[in-house]
Amino acid sequence: MSWVYFNHEFVKEEQAQLSYRDLSVQRGYGIFDFFRVHQAQPVFLEDHLARFFYSAEQMHLPVPKTAKEIRHLILELIRSNRIENSGIRITLTGGLSPDGYQPGTPFLIIAEQPFTPLSQEVLNKGIHLISYPFQRQLPHVKTIDYITPIWLQPYLRQQGGDDLLYHQHDRISECPRSNFFLIDQENRLLTPSGNILKGITRKHVLKLAAQHFTIAEKTITLSDLRNAREAFTTSTTKWLLPVVQIDGQTIGTGKPGETTMKLRKMLEEEIIGIQNAKVKM
Amino acid sequence: MSWVYFNHEFVKEEQAQLSYRDLSVQRGYGIFDFFRVHQAQPVFLEDHLARFFYSAEQMHLPVPKTAKEIRHLILELIRSNRIENSGIRITLTGGLSPDGYQPGTPFLIIAEQPFTPLSQEVLNKGIHLISYPFQRQLPHVKTIDYITPIWLQPYLRQQGGDDLLYHQHDRISECPRSNFFLIDQENRLLTPSGNILKGITRKHVLKLAAQHFTIAEKTITLSDLRNAREAFTTSTTKWLLPVVQIDGQTIGTGKPGETTMKLRKMLEEEIIGIQNAKVKM
């Protein structure tokens, strides 16, 4: 049973319990962020902390600790739990509301869970996306709202898909927990520009790719998928994940793309390189 | 401190705490319903229970008790708490998820809170609505998702409004916690038909009004507001609440409408009549 930083103290996981009157339970009001821990070092922590504070500010939720204090608490948590591979989730809830509607004093939770990396099998096979007309509310904020994609799980299974691809009026935005990229016939790397959560992995992939490819953040429609040579998603948990089918239509050769796998390798080397440098420090 | 029915037992309110890993806290996944208790009798309980079970089914959340058992638990809660005027909220959360995404075993919470009825002052004055382009996800289900309207509270105050009125492409749907009605120049009672939560008070107002007015559930646009003689909202907490201004534009005379107040009186008499009949039984 691991330790959890919970409302100003470290407690054992089973003690990390909050009132049913918290605004997250009553009104789904809260934000979070999630990052990987590799060799006891948080991956891209500064990016995640910056986004966490941005989300909190956007939702009018004051964070009870500074970024420096949170960084410190995270390292303390990692030292206490000693989990080989993990993911850490920082959550900020709406708190105990005076009237069940106005936010109260936000509740800060930092929790670490063992993390199972993506299997080689899934990576070799790639995934099948099912498009769905939906636009997340407050897309630029990492809120806790995942009602629609969880509600759609039976539909997704019925369609034989692995994940959803949101679009509105045919304009693609993102997947529920990842960003979407495609590589077109001119070998350009394209990704939707608007109405999305700006992923941290997305940012680093764009930076790495810019050294080798023409990249563009632009409007992408469902019909642009017909001309895609490759497609992939990016996320903190999966890094780059090849997409080989969308709505039953094969993308490129129907196998994970060469460029996708090259970019994945580059990202992996960057992450491991940064981590090794930190460990040696 | 009142009693709360919490995951198979009655506990004191401060003990009604759930894990931070519940899917409501992690992913905003849950449903609820809310009804008034008047003279120790739940108001329109059968309607609320039916909607609660409908919401649960829509969200693929099995309810751990039958409607009969829940009715029994509610009456037991009312007897234990002995609160003069109250509101009861039944919540069903996504439960402890195995992977932080798939629903677990849902958590049932039944909680009673003192209820302050609408003040005569607000009723005499009426309210000012501010229109906002938004469509709730899964509008027919009473989910716990109130992220957008809570996020909009500072904007609403800035605009000098009392509540929001959602529309999409000018078609009016509903307010965040109430349904919307207008009375047109021909004295017809109109209310939006689609993309809304079907309110229990809305249903009873339509039934009562049908005896005296032409009623229609239809598309209503923002420009239809110009020809409105009266407007009001309906909800469990406020019954009928006169709307006297929308986006700074006066509705009718700018005072609570005569027909609105007549309908309110009819609803009040119906509720009190039913309650008195129950108490005498």
Side-chain angles (χ1 to χ4, degrees):
Chain A
M1 196 63 80
S2 57
W3 291 96
V4 174
Y5 179 79
F6 192 79
N7 196 30
H8 306 298
E9 55 179 345
F10 285 96
V11 300
K12 280 290 183 184
E13 192 186 281
E14 72 271 24
Q15 292 164 324
Q17 303 212 329
L18 67 171
S19 169
Y20 76 97
R21 288 175 52 224
D22 189 277
L23 213 56
S24 58
V25 183
Q26 299 266 310
R27 304 287 181 184
Y29 203 79
I31 58 132
F32 76 107
D33 224 289
F34 180 87
F35 54 88
R36 289 274 310 268
V37 176
H38 182 86
Q39 297 188 347
Q41 298 290 330
V43 178
F44 301 140
L45 178 59
E46 297 314 310
D47 290 317
H48 287 281
L49 281 179
R51 188 172 62 184
F52 180 75
F53 275 84
Y54 170 80
S55 296
E57 193 201 346
Q58 288 292 308
M59 300 301 280
H60 325 299
L61 295 175
V63 184
K65 297 280 171 193
T66 65
K68 194 179 165 186
E69 287 167 333
I70 291 180
R71 209 178 289 121
H72 195 80
L73 291 167
I74 287 167
L75 296 178
E76 205 173 327
L77 194 69
I78 294 171
R79 273 197 300 273
S80 307
N81 284 334
R82 300 175 169 277
I83 306 173
E84 187 69 21
N85 261 303
S86 76
I88 288 183
R89 185 181 159 117
I90 325 180
T91 305
L92 191 68
T93 75
L96 283 186
S97 170
D99 61 356
Y101 207 65
Q102 306 295 328
T105 302
F107 222 81
L108 178 66
I109 308 167
I110 311 176
E112 189 179 16
Q113 295 277 344
F115 177 82
T116 312
L118 184 65
S119 77
Q120 195 62 43
E121 194 194 336
V122 173
L123 190 59
N124 291 343
K125 201 177 151 217
I127 60 165
H128 180 189
L129 297 181
I130 304 296
S131 68
Y132 194 83
F134 181 66
Q135 173 57 55
R136 283 174 54 236
Q137 58 189 329
L138 309 177
H140 53 300
V141 181
K142 202 163 171 71
T143 70
I144 60 169
D145 168 27
Y146 288 76
I147 283 186
T148 292
I150 294 176
W151 173 71
L152 282 170
Q153 289 302 301
Y155 169 80
L156 184 60
R157 280 192 294 273
Q158 207 177 62
Q159 300 291 312
D162 300 300
D163 207 349
L164 299 160
L165 178 62
Y166 296 147
H167 68 92
Q168 205 166 37
H169 310 302
D170 283 347
R171 288 176 174 211
I172 292 168
S173 55
E174 60 191 347
C175 301
R177 294 181 287 178
S178 55
N179 289 115
F180 180 78
F181 285 79
L182 67 78
I183 294 161
D184 72 3
Q185 294 297 331
E186 287 82 49
N187 224 29
R188 292 182 306 170
L189 183 68
L190 310 179
T191 191
S193 49
N195 297 325
I196 60 163
L197 184 79
K198 295 282 175 80
I200 307 299
T201 308
R202 176 184 184 275
K203 173 185 150 180
H204 286 276
V205 166
L206 281 173
K207 212 172 84 187
L208 284 170
Q211 303 162 20
H212 306 275
F213 302 93
T214 302
I215 60 171
E217 298 179 57
K218 64 188 283 290
T219 299
I220 302 178
T221 64
L222 286 177
S223 56
D224 290 334
L225 296 175
R226 264 173 291 169
N227 297 314
R229 289 178 56 179
E230 301 183 20
F232 61 87
T233 62
T234 58
S235 66
T236 293
T237 51
K238 311 272 171 63
W239 293 350
L240 277 83
L241 185 54
V243 173
V244 294
Q245 237 187 103
I246 298 175
D247 294 333
Q249 296 297 306
T250 298
I251 300 292
T253 62
K255 288 197 188 318
E258 211 176 291
T259 304
T260 300
M261 296 312 272
K262 201 181 290 175
L263 280 167
R264 186 181 160 90
K265 189 85 194 141
M266 284 165 66
L267 181 73
E268 199 175 330
E269 278 165 7
E270 156 139 333
I271 290 170
I272 292 169
I274 292 170
Q275 298 308 110
N276 287 345
K278 275 192 200 159
V279 172
K280 279 178 199 147
M281 276 193 315
Chain B
M1 198 65 79
S2 56
W3 292 96
V4 174
Y5 178 80
F6 191 79
N7 196 30
H8 304 300
E9 56 179 343
F10 284 96
V11 300
K12 280 288 182 184
E13 191 186 284
E14 70 272 24
Q15 292 164 325
Q17 302 211 329
L18 68 170
S19 169
Y20 76 98
R21 288 174 52 225
D22 189 277
L23 213 57
S24 58
V25 183
Q26 299 266 310
R27 303 288 182 184
Y29 203 80
I31 58 130
F32 76 107
D33 224 290
F34 179 87
F35 54 88
R36 289 275 309 268
V37 176
H38 182 87
Q39 296 188 347
Q41 297 291 329
V43 177
F44 301 140
L45 179 58
E46 297 314 310
D47 290 316
H48 287 281
L49 281 179
R51 187 171 64 184
F52 179 74
F53 274 84
Y54 170 79
S55 296
E57 192 201 348
Q58 289 291 309
M59 300 301 281
H60 325 299
L61 295 175
V63 184
K65 298 279 171 193
T66 64
K68 193 178 166 188
E69 287 168 331
I70 292 181
R71 209 178 290 120
H72 195 80
L73 291 167
I74 287 167
L75 296 178
E76 204 173 328
L77 193 69
I78 293 171
R79 274 196 299 274
S80 306
N81 284 334
R82 300 176 170 276
I83 305 173
E84 185 70 20
N85 261 303
S86 76
I88 288 185
R89 185 182 159 116
I90 324 181
T91 305
L92 192 67
T93 75
L96 283 187
S97 170
D99 61 356
Y101 207 64
Q102 306 296 328
T105 302
F107 221 83
L108 177 66
I109 308 167
I110 311 176
E112 188 178 18
Q113 295 278 343
F115 177 82
T116 313
L118 184 65
S119 76
Q120 196 61 43
E121 195 193 333
V122 173
L123 190 59
N124 290 344
K125 203 177 148 215
I127 60 164
H128 180 188
L129 297 181
I130 304 296
S131 69
Y132 194 83
F134 181 66
Q135 173 57 55
R136 282 174 53 238
Q137 58 189 328
L138 308 177
H140 52 301
V141 181
K142 201 162 172 72
T143 71
I144 60 170
D145 169 26
Y146 289 77
I147 283 186
T148 293
I150 293 177
W151 173 70
L152 282 171
Q153 288 303 300
Y155 168 80
L156 183 61
R157 280 192 293 272
Q158 209 177 59
Q159 299 291 312
D162 299 300
D163 208 348
L164 298 159
L165 178 62
Y166 297 147
H167 68 93
Q168 205 165 38
H169 310 301
D170 282 347
R171 287 173 175 215
I172 293 169
S173 55
E174 60 192 346
C175 301
R177 294 182 287 178
S178 55
N179 290 115
F180 180 77
F181 285 79
L182 67 77
I183 294 161
D184 72 3
Q185 294 298 329
E186 287 82 50
N187 223 29
R188 293 182 306 171
L189 183 67
L190 310 179
T191 191
S193 50
N195 297 324
I196 59 163
L197 184 79
K198 296 280 176 83
I200 307 299
T201 309
R202 175 184 183 275
K203 172 186 152 181
H204 286 275
V205 166
L206 281 172
K207 211 171 87 188
L208 284 171
Q211 304 162 21
H212 307 274
F213 303 92
T214 302
I215 60 170
E217 298 180 56
K218 65 187 283 291
T219 299
I220 302 177
T221 64
L222 285 177
S223 56
D224 290 334
L225 297 175
R226 263 173 293 170
N227 298 314
R229 287 176 57 178
E230 300 183 21
F232 61 87
T233 62
T234 58
S235 67
T236 293
T237 52
K238 311 273 169 63
W239 293 349
L240 278 83
L241 185 54
V243 173
V244 295
Q245 237 187 102
I246 299 175
D247 294 332
Q249 296 297 306
T250 299
I251 300 292
T253 62
K255 288 196 187 320
E258 210 175 294
T259 304
T260 301
M261 297 312 272
K262 202 182 289 176
L263 280 167
R264 186 182 161 89
K265 189 83 195 146
M266 284 165 66
L267 181 74
E268 199 175 330
E269 279 165 6
E270 157 139 334
I271 291 171
I272 292 170
I274 293 170
Q275 298 309 110
N276 286 344
K278 276 191 199 161
V279 170
K280 278 178 200 146
M281 276 192 315

